[in-house]
Amino acid sequence: MDHFPTNWGRPRNELYDQYNTFPLHHRPANAQNAFADGVQRTQQPIVTGTSVLAIQYQDGIMMAADNLASYGSLARFKDIQRLQPVGTRTIVGASGDMSDFQYIQHILDELTTEEFTYGDGHDLGPAEVHEYLARVMYARRSKINPLWNALLVGGVENGKPFLAYVDLLGTTYSARSLATGYGAHIAIPLLRTAVDNASQLLTEEEARTLLTDCMRVLFYRDARSLDKYQIATVTSAGVSVSDQLKLDTKWDFAEGIRGYGSQTQ
Amino acid sequence: MPDGSYAHPQQRQFNPYTENGGTILAIAGADFTVIAGDTRQSEGYSIQTRYAPKVFRLTDRAVLAVNGFAADGNMFVKTVKQRLEWYRHAHAKDMPLRAIARLIQTMLYARRFFPYYVYNILGGIEEDGSGAVYSFDPVGSYEREACRAAGAAQSLVQPFLDNQIYFRNQTPAPGTSHPTHLPLPDVLAIVIDSFTSATERHIEVGDGLEMYVVLAKGRSTQELASIRGAQELTPKEGGDRIFVIRRELKKD
Amino acid sequence: MSIMELNGGSVIAMVGKDCVAIASDLRLGNQSLGISSNFEKIFAMTDRVYVGLPGLATDVLTLREQFRYRLNMYTIKEEREIEPETFVHLVSSALYERRFGPYFIEPVVAGMQKQPNGSFKPFIAATDLIGCINFAKDFVVAGTASTKLFGVAEGLWEPDLEPEDLFETIAQTMLNSVDRDAFSGWGAVVHVITKDKVIKRTLKGRMD
């Protein structure tokens, strides 16, 4: 009889401790502890969206993202919408893991529904949505189980534009022009020149041209991007997300570059 | 491997921390304190924004500067403010500075095994009316000092402060002695010089400078009148007063 | 363990009005253990050219001899003394020869450069351990306290300092910087170089 309850249910190692003489706390554990290697919830993004761009302009906020969801280097889903209206005056743009984004869409939906059911005449504006997302993202990173996204939140509240960023670490910031992913490296210099350093705000047409130009530059240089994209605006009139747009691109320069076109020599 | 197979099993770990650059600084005078920080927020070589405050007013006599991982910093300030609100509701008065300092230690040490990756500097006016600076490490070790720099350019600024505030390595003229506390205009000049120097030599420092000035109750605001753009944050005149002064720093 | 931080030590050079100054600490250590408080790292190459060699102590001695040898060869061949700017290029090429097995030294050069009209112009420069030259107009720093030296010098230095003011500036910069560096300190030495004389002063520093 083994008098040590901690050993019950474990196969005894007769070779090692034939007469049960080993002190209790030193007994070799025969069974492998399920948590010996720690709980594995380290993850990586699987199906991903690339950059989101957003700027402040005359009438409010304008945001752009392409329609691609990649699976590694495979252009897997080419009709994905990454710009999500929330409530009446907020737009959320997502890059990073698309399944995590769908979960975020789900919780934002629940949130707005719950807010609506109170029927108190209040609803959530861009600042509240951003604050909420920042808390969710930070809470998840603190559980070492992040939602693998970088999000832009834009909107208009009492005629004032709002534009802010939040990512998988819970890092937040705001500026007159923002971009995630490759956009932060490639588009931000163009956006800052045209928006932050300009003496006056852009008109809607100027803003649209600027974002389209940036989407084009990104399409040329970001291998995980697509020439099909959408532009959303938030003005005091409300949120609107455009139909799918297509970039005008020129590839004739490739003709003269060896290895780029289809020369034989 | 070249054939696409893996020689070793790959393991990727999510890293819950990052560094967001910037520098903070606080100097205590006899009856005032200056708490300052730059406003650049960066990650790696990217400037995320040119205006993200790192210095926050807690009460009418306490200002907290946070530097390190911005998400932790903002969360920490949020929770400190919440605790101070609870205190105010329970005791019908603002928490004294030294108590806030001890509260911050407790809050930081509570997270000893998953720390807030943040360097804190707390500045303000003590109950005896003296200017005070408390500096903390990320897990709550703290100390009251006359001046402290922290963050990306700490190593550039702190020795300069040793020299200009503590008069280290300077011998007073015979029959004289160094002042224990500097006047406010001198302190502000040293703060501005410290940040322009740090901006010149450190890529993570720049864009804007935000200086909070806390004045003890009844102290003259005379010296602030000549400072361009000093803006008062405290509504009532009876108690301690807080002013903020903003300056541009180089953006390259 | 970093080889650049094994023995510790720091050097700084500054430009003034018709003068230059170069200063170093005097510590030689073995990691955190102090060994000597009389280890000079600044050497006169000519009457008007001084070089500071912070870094691995064994390489300080090796490079000093190496530069002495190369300088003698230059002087014999050219039948004239070397100018500071030429000397920096000599230093640079000597270091780059060892591009893939470098000397662990970041030299700092200070001197008075002879102009075509016979006058002298202050000159300073520094290189990294493989000889990339930094010609600066204000000041150059190197060694374990370099970040501190940058910060203090940026705050204290101003253009066109007279020799005595330049001495005070470089001395304060050095002392306050090494007091915040565990690997530098234990006294300092300052050379102020003008067209007709060099003043060397040894400074007492904190011994902790």
Side-chain angles (χ1 to χ4, degrees), chain A residues 40 42 44 131 135 138 141-146 148 165 167-175 178 184-185 192, chain B residues 11-18 20 41 43 46-51 69-72 74-75 78 111 114 116:
Chain A
Q40 299 285 310
T42 308
Q44 48 177 329
E131 184 65 30
R135 297 284 73 91
Y138 183 81
R141 88 95 213 186
S142 298
K143 291 174 187 159
I144 319 291
N145 185 202
W148 214 286
Y165 167 101
D167 67 13
L168 72 168
L169 290 170
T171 307
T172 56
Y173 52 90
S174 71
L178 290 177
H185 297 104
R192 283 194 185 152
Chain B
Q11 204 168 39
R12 236 163 296 183
Q13 242 288 329
F14 169 65
N15 178 195
Y17 294 113
T18 188
N20 296 105
Q41 190 180 109
E43 191 173 10
S46 294
I47 297 170
Q48 296 180 316
T49 179
R50 299 193 190 280
Y51 184 71
F69 174 32
D72 269 355
N74 292 328
M75 191 60 190
K78 217 181 180 70
R111 288 281 296 270
F114 185 23
Y116 287 111

Coordinates of all heavy atoms in Angstrom, one line a residue, chain A residues 40 42 44 131 135 138 141-146 148 165 167-175 178 184-185 192, chain B residues 11-18 20 41 43 46-51 69-72 74-75 78 111 114 116:
Chain A
Q40 N -0.2 27.1 -23.8 CA 0.2 27.6 -25.1 C -0.9 28.5 -25.8 O -1.9 27.9 -26.2 CB 0.5 26.5 -26.0 CG 1.7 25.6 -25.5 CD 3.0 26.3 -25.7 OE1 3.4 26.7 -26.7 NE2 3.8 26.3 -24.6
T42 N 0.3 31.4 -27.5 CA 1.1 32.3 -28.4 C 0.5 32.1 -29.7 O 0.2 31.0 -30.2 CB 2.6 31.9 -28.4 OG1 3.0 31.8 -27.0 CG2 3.4 32.8 -29.1
Q44 N -0.1 33.9 -33.9 CA 0.4 34.8 -35.0 C -0.8 35.1 -35.9 O -1.8 34.3 -35.9 CB 1.5 34.1 -35.8 CG 1.2 32.7 -36.2 CD 2.3 32.1 -37.0 OE1 3.0 32.8 -37.8 NE2 2.5 30.8 -36.9
E131 N -12.0 54.5 -27.1 CA -11.6 54.2 -25.8 C -12.0 52.7 -25.4 O -11.2 52.0 -24.8 CB -12.4 55.1 -24.8 CG -12.0 55.0 -23.3 CD -10.6 55.4 -23.0 OE1 -10.0 56.2 -23.7 OE2 -10.0 54.8 -22.1
R135 N -9.3 49.7 -24.5 CA -9.4 48.9 -23.2 C -9.4 47.4 -23.6 O -8.8 46.6 -22.9 CB -10.6 49.3 -22.4 CG -10.6 50.7 -21.9 CD -9.7 50.9 -20.7 NE -8.3 50.9 -21.1 CZ -7.6 52.0 -21.4 NH1 -8.1 53.2 -21.4 NH2 -6.3 51.8 -21.7
Y138 N -5.9 46.4 -24.8 CA -4.9 46.4 -23.7 C -5.2 45.2 -22.8 O -4.3 44.6 -22.3 CB -5.0 47.7 -23.0 CG -4.0 47.8 -21.9 CD1 -2.6 48.1 -22.2 CD2 -4.3 47.6 -20.6 CE1 -1.7 48.2 -21.2 CE2 -3.4 47.7 -19.5 CZ -2.1 48.0 -19.9 OH -1.1 48.1 -18.8
R141 N -3.9 42.1 -24.5 CA -2.5 42.0 -24.5 C -2.0 41.6 -23.0 O -1.0 40.9 -22.9 CB -1.8 43.2 -25.0 CG -1.5 44.3 -24.0 CD -0.1 44.3 -23.5 NE -0.1 44.8 -22.1 CZ 1.0 45.0 -21.4 NH1 2.2 44.7 -21.9 NH2 0.9 45.4 -20.1
S142 N -2.7 42.1 -22.0 CA -2.3 41.9 -20.7 C -2.5 40.4 -20.3 O -1.9 39.9 -19.3 CB -3.0 42.8 -19.7 OG -2.6 44.1 -20.0
K143 N -3.4 39.7 -21.0 CA -3.6 38.3 -20.8 C -2.7 37.5 -21.7 O -2.8 36.3 -21.8 CB -5.1 37.9 -21.1 CG -6.1 38.5 -20.1 CD -7.5 38.2 -20.6 CE -8.5 38.8 -19.7 NZ -9.8 39.0 -20.3
I144 N -1.8 38.2 -22.4 CA -0.9 37.6 -23.3 C -1.7 36.8 -24.4 O -1.3 35.7 -24.8 CB 0.2 36.6 -22.7 CG1 0.7 37.3 -21.4 CG2 1.4 36.4 -23.6 CD1 1.6 38.5 -21.6
N145 N -2.8 37.3 -24.8 CA -3.7 36.7 -25.7 C -4.3 37.8 -26.6 O -5.4 38.0 -26.6 CB -4.8 35.9 -25.0 CG -5.6 35.1 -25.9 OD1 -6.8 34.8 -25.6 ND2 -5.1 34.8 -27.1
P146 N -3.4 38.4 -27.4 CA -3.8 39.7 -28.1 C -4.8 39.4 -29.2 O -4.8 38.4 -29.8 CB -2.5 40.3 -28.6 CG -1.6 39.1 -28.8 CD -2.0 38.1 -27.7
W148 N -4.9 40.4 -32.8 CA -3.7 40.8 -33.6 C -4.1 41.8 -34.7 O -4.1 41.5 -35.9 CB -3.1 39.5 -34.2 CG -1.6 39.7 -34.3 CD1 -0.9 40.4 -35.3 CD2 -0.6 39.0 -33.5 NE1 0.4 40.3 -35.1 CE2 0.7 39.5 -34.0 CE3 -0.6 38.1 -32.5 CZ2 1.9 39.0 -33.5 CZ3 0.6 37.7 -31.9 CH2 1.8 38.2 -32.4
Y165 N -5.6 55.9 -33.2 CA -5.0 54.5 -33.5 C -5.0 53.7 -32.3 O -4.9 54.2 -31.2 CB -3.6 54.8 -34.0 CG -2.7 53.6 -34.1 CD1 -2.5 53.0 -35.4 CD2 -2.0 53.0 -33.0 CE1 -1.6 51.9 -35.5 CE2 -1.2 51.9 -33.2 CZ -1.0 51.4 -34.4 OH -0.1 50.3 -34.5
D167 N -3.5 49.5 -31.3 CA -3.0 48.2 -31.8 C -3.0 47.1 -30.8 O -3.6 47.3 -29.7 CB -1.6 48.4 -32.4 CG -0.6 48.8 -31.3 OD1 -0.9 48.6 -30.1 OD2 0.5 49.2 -31.7
L168 N -2.5 46.0 -31.2 CA -2.5 44.8 -30.3 C -1.9 44.9 -29.0 O -2.1 44.1 -28.1 CB -1.9 43.6 -31.1 CG -0.4 43.5 -31.3 CD1 0.0 42.2 -31.8 CD2 0.1 44.6 -32.2
L169 N -1.0 45.9 -28.8 CA -0.4 46.2 -27.5 C -1.2 47.1 -26.6 O -0.9 47.3 -25.5 CB 1.0 46.8 -27.7 CG 2.1 45.9 -28.3 CD1 3.3 46.7 -28.7 CD2 2.5 44.8 -27.3
G170 N -2.2 47.7 -27.2 CA -3.0 48.7 -26.5 C -2.4 50.1 -26.6 O -2.9 51.0 -26.0
T171 N -1.4 50.2 -27.5 CA -0.8 51.5 -27.7 C -1.8 52.4 -28.5 O -2.4 51.9 -29.4 CB 0.5 51.4 -28.6 OG1 1.3 50.5 -28.0 CG2 1.2 52.7 -28.8
T172 N -2.0 53.6 -28.0 CA -2.9 54.5 -28.7 C -2.2 55.8 -29.0 O -1.2 56.2 -28.4 CB -4.1 54.9 -27.8 OG1 -3.6 55.4 -26.6 CG2 -4.9 53.7 -27.5
Y173 N -2.7 56.5 -30.0 CA -2.2 57.9 -30.3 C -3.2 58.5 -31.4 O -3.9 57.7 -32.0 CB -0.8 58.0 -30.8 CG -0.4 57.1 -32.0 CD1 -0.5 57.5 -33.3 CD2 0.1 55.8 -31.7 CE1 -0.1 56.7 -34.3 CE2 0.5 55.0 -32.7 CZ 0.3 55.4 -34.0 OH 0.7 54.6 -35.1
S174 N -3.1 59.8 -31.5 CA -3.9 60.4 -32.6 C -3.1 61.5 -33.2 O -2.2 62.0 -32.7 CB -5.2 60.9 -32.0 OG -5.0 62.0 -31.2
A175 N -3.5 61.8 -34.5 CA -2.8 62.8 -35.3 C -3.8 63.1 -36.4 O -4.8 62.4 -36.6 CB -1.5 62.3 -35.8
L178 N -3.1 59.4 -40.2 CA -2.6 58.1 -39.6 C -2.6 57.0 -40.6 O -3.3 57.0 -41.6 CB -3.6 57.7 -38.4 CG -3.6 58.5 -37.2 CD1 -4.7 58.0 -36.2 CD2 -2.3 58.5 -36.5
A184 N 2.3 53.1 -42.7 CA 3.0 54.0 -41.7 C 4.4 54.4 -42.3 O 5.0 55.4 -41.9 CB 3.1 53.3 -40.4
H185 N 5.0 53.5 -43.1 CA 6.3 53.8 -43.7 C 6.2 54.5 -45.0 O 7.0 55.4 -45.3 CB 7.1 52.5 -43.8 CG 7.4 51.9 -42.5 ND1 6.7 50.8 -42.1 CD2 8.2 52.2 -41.5 CE1 7.2 50.4 -40.9 NE2 8.1 51.3 -40.5
R192 N 1.5 63.4 -44.3 CA 1.9 64.5 -43.4 C 2.2 65.7 -44.2 O 1.9 66.8 -43.8 CB 3.1 64.1 -42.6 CG 2.7 63.1 -41.5 CD 3.8 63.0 -40.5 NE 3.4 62.0 -39.4 CZ 4.3 61.3 -38.7 NH1 5.6 61.5 -38.9 NH2 3.9 60.5 -37.8
Chain B
Q11 N 9.7 28.8 -32.7 CA 8.8 29.3 -31.6 C 8.7 30.8 -31.6 O 9.8 31.4 -31.7 CB 9.3 28.8 -30.3 CG 8.2 28.7 -29.3 CD 8.5 28.0 -28.0 OE1 9.7 28.1 -27.6 NE2 7.6 27.2 -27.5
R12 N 7.5 31.3 -31.7 CA 7.4 32.8 -31.6 C 6.7 33.1 -30.4 O 5.7 32.5 -30.0 CB 6.6 33.2 -32.9 CG 7.4 34.3 -33.6 CD 6.9 34.4 -35.0 NE 7.0 33.2 -35.8 CZ 6.7 33.1 -37.1 NH1 6.1 34.2 -37.7 NH2 6.8 32.0 -37.7
Q13 N 7.2 34.1 -29.7 CA 6.5 34.5 -28.5 C 6.0 35.9 -28.7 O 6.7 36.8 -29.2 CB 7.5 34.5 -27.3 CG 7.2 33.6 -26.2 CD 6.1 34.0 -25.4 OE1 5.8 35.2 -25.2 NE2 5.3 33.1 -24.8
F14 N 4.8 36.1 -28.3 CA 4.2 37.5 -28.3 C 4.9 38.3 -27.2 O 4.9 37.9 -26.1 CB 2.7 37.4 -28.0 CG 2.0 38.7 -27.8 CD1 2.0 39.7 -28.8 CD2 1.5 39.0 -26.6 CE1 1.4 40.9 -28.6 CE2 0.9 40.3 -26.3 CZ 0.9 41.2 -27.3
N15 N 5.3 39.5 -27.6 CA 6.0 40.4 -26.7 C 5.0 41.5 -26.3 O 4.7 42.3 -27.1 CB 7.3 41.0 -27.3 CG 8.0 42.0 -26.4 OD1 8.8 42.7 -26.8 ND2 7.7 41.9 -25.1
P16 N 4.6 41.5 -25.0 CA 3.6 42.4 -24.6 C 4.1 43.8 -24.4 O 3.3 44.7 -23.9 CB 3.0 41.8 -23.3 CG 4.1 41.0 -22.8 CD 4.9 40.5 -23.9
Y17 N 5.4 44.0 -24.6 CA 6.0 45.4 -24.3 C 6.5 46.0 -25.6 O 6.9 45.3 -26.5 CB 7.1 45.3 -23.3 CG 6.7 44.9 -21.9 CD1 7.0 43.7 -21.4 CD2 5.9 45.7 -21.1 CE1 6.7 43.3 -20.1 CE2 5.5 45.4 -19.9 CZ 5.9 44.2 -19.3 OH 5.6 43.8 -18.1
T18 N 6.6 47.3 -25.6 CA 7.4 48.0 -26.6 C 7.9 49.3 -25.9 O 7.5 49.6 -24.8 CB 6.6 48.3 -27.9 OG1 7.5 48.8 -28.9 CG2 5.5 49.3 -27.6
N20 N 8.4 53.4 -26.4 CA 7.8 54.5 -27.2 C 8.6 55.8 -27.1 O 8.2 56.9 -27.4 CB 6.4 54.8 -26.8 CG 5.5 53.6 -27.2 OD1 5.1 52.8 -26.3 ND2 5.3 53.4 -28.4
Q41 N 5.9 60.6 -29.7 CA 5.7 59.2 -29.4 C 6.2 58.4 -30.6 O 5.8 58.7 -31.8 CB 4.3 58.9 -29.2 CG 4.1 57.5 -28.6 CD 2.6 57.1 -28.3 OE1 2.0 56.3 -29.0 NE2 2.1 57.7 -27.3
E43 N 8.0 54.5 -32.2 CA 8.3 53.1 -32.1 C 9.3 52.7 -33.1 O 9.1 52.9 -34.3 CB 7.0 52.2 -32.3 CG 7.2 50.8 -31.8 CD 5.9 50.0 -31.9 OE1 4.9 50.5 -32.4 OE2 5.9 48.8 -31.4
S46 N 10.0 54.9 -36.4 CA 8.8 55.6 -36.9 C 8.3 56.6 -35.8 O 8.1 56.2 -34.6 CB 7.7 54.7 -37.2 OG 8.0 53.9 -38.4
I47 N 8.0 57.8 -36.2 CA 7.3 58.7 -35.3 C 5.8 58.5 -35.4 O 5.2 58.7 -36.5 CB 7.6 60.2 -35.6 CG1 9.1 60.5 -35.5 CG2 6.8 61.1 -34.8 CD1 9.5 61.8 -36.0
Q48 N 5.2 58.0 -34.3 CA 3.7 57.7 -34.4 C 2.9 59.0 -34.4 O 2.0 59.1 -35.2 CB 3.3 56.8 -33.2 CG 4.0 55.4 -33.3 CD 3.6 54.5 -32.2 OE1 3.6 55.0 -31.0 NE2 3.4 53.3 -32.4
T49 N 3.3 59.9 -33.5 CA 2.6 61.2 -33.4 C 3.5 62.2 -32.8 O 4.4 61.9 -32.1 CB 1.3 61.1 -32.6 OG1 0.7 62.4 -32.6 CG2 1.5 60.7 -31.2
R50 N 3.3 63.5 -33.2 CA 4.2 64.5 -32.7 C 3.6 65.1 -31.4 O 4.2 65.9 -30.8 CB 4.4 65.6 -33.8 CG 5.0 65.1 -35.0 CD 5.5 66.2 -35.9 NE 5.9 65.7 -37.2 CZ 7.1 65.2 -37.5 NH1 8.0 65.0 -36.5 NH2 7.4 64.7 -38.7
Y51 N 2.4 64.7 -31.1 CA 1.8 65.2 -29.9 C 1.1 64.1 -29.1 O -0.1 63.8 -29.4 CB 0.8 66.4 -30.1 CG 0.3 67.0 -28.8 CD1 1.2 67.7 -28.0 CD2 -1.0 66.7 -28.4 CE1 0.7 68.2 -26.8 CE2 -1.4 67.2 -27.2 CZ -0.6 67.9 -26.4 OH -1.0 68.4 -25.1
F69 N 6.8 52.5 -21.9 CA 5.7 51.8 -22.8 C 4.5 52.6 -22.7 O 3.8 52.7 -21.6 CB 5.6 50.4 -22.4 CG 4.5 49.6 -23.1 CD1 4.1 49.9 -24.4 CD2 3.8 48.6 -22.4 CE1 3.1 49.2 -25.0 CE2 2.8 47.9 -23.0 CZ 2.4 48.2 -24.3
A70 N 4.1 53.3 -23.8 CA 3.0 54.3 -23.7 C 1.6 53.7 -23.2 O 0.9 54.3 -22.5 CB 2.8 55.0 -25.1
A71 N 1.3 52.5 -23.7 CA 0.0 51.9 -23.3 C 0.0 51.6 -21.8 O -1.0 52.0 -21.2 CB -0.2 50.6 -24.1
D72 N 1.1 51.1 -21.3 CA 1.2 51.0 -19.8 C 1.1 52.3 -19.1 O 0.4 52.4 -18.1 CB 2.5 50.3 -19.4 CG 2.4 48.7 -19.4 OD1 1.2 48.2 -19.6 OD2 3.4 48.1 -19.2
N74 N -0.3 55.2 -20.1 CA -1.7 55.8 -20.1 C -2.6 55.0 -19.1 O -3.4 55.6 -18.4 CB -2.2 55.7 -21.5 CG -1.5 56.7 -22.4 OD1 -1.0 57.7 -22.0 ND2 -1.4 56.3 -23.7
M75 N -2.4 53.7 -19.1 CA -3.3 52.9 -18.2 C -2.9 53.2 -16.7 O -3.8 53.3 -15.9 CB -3.0 51.4 -18.5 CG -4.0 50.5 -17.8 SD -5.7 50.8 -18.4 CE -6.6 49.8 -17.3
K78 N -4.3 56.5 -15.7 CA -5.8 56.3 -15.6 C -6.1 55.7 -14.2 O -7.0 56.2 -13.5 CB -6.3 55.4 -16.7 CG -7.6 55.7 -17.3 CD -8.0 54.7 -18.3 CE -9.3 55.0 -18.9 NZ -9.3 56.2 -19.8
R111 N 2.3 45.0 -9.3 CA 2.5 44.3 -10.6 C 4.0 43.9 -10.8 O 4.5 43.9 -11.8 CB 2.2 45.3 -11.8 CG 0.7 45.5 -11.9 CD 0.0 44.4 -12.6 NE 0.5 44.3 -14.0 CZ 0.0 44.9 -15.0 NH1 -1.1 45.7 -14.9 NH2 0.5 44.8 -16.2
F114 N 4.6 41.3 -13.5 CA 4.2 41.6 -14.8 C 4.2 43.2 -14.8 O 3.1 43.8 -14.9 CB 2.8 41.0 -15.2 CG 2.4 41.3 -16.6 CD1 3.4 41.5 -17.6 CD2 1.1 41.2 -17.0 CE1 3.0 41.7 -18.9 CE2 0.7 41.4 -18.3 CZ 1.6 41.7 -19.3
Y116 N 4.4 47.3 -15.0 CA 4.2 48.4 -15.9 C 5.5 48.8 -16.4 O 6.4 49.2 -15.5 CB 3.5 49.6 -15.2 CG 2.1 49.4 -14.8 CD1 1.7 49.3 -13.4 CD2 1.1 49.4 -15.7 CE1 0.4 49.1 -13.1 CE2 -0.3 49.3 -15.4 CZ -0.6 49.1 -14.1 OH -1.9 49.0 -13.7

